[in-house]
Amino acid sequence: MCSVGGETYDFDIKELDADAKYYKCGDCGNEFKGFGRKLKCPACHSARVSKVSEE
Ligand SMILES: [Zn+2]
């Protein structure tokens, strides 16, 4: 029997990177890159952020 493993972490990193989108703060207008459902503006910590589509 052979044991293989240790390379599966690559997938996690790539998935997170592909998930990252640009967001804009609705309070101070700051644009930042982030991922996840609940984001906060890194500048003013406001939760009123909206997604910006930049392709
Ligand atoms: Zn802000």
Side-chain angles (χ1 to χ4, degrees), residues 16-39:
L16 286 177
D17 198 43
D19 235 22
K21 307 278 184 184
Y22 283 97
Y23 292 86
K24 188 172 185 178
C25 176
D27 278 340
C28 72
N30 178 43
E31 288 188 28
F32 58 98
K33 196 177 184 184
F35 60 89
R37 288 179 192 173
K38 293 187 177 179
L39 290 167

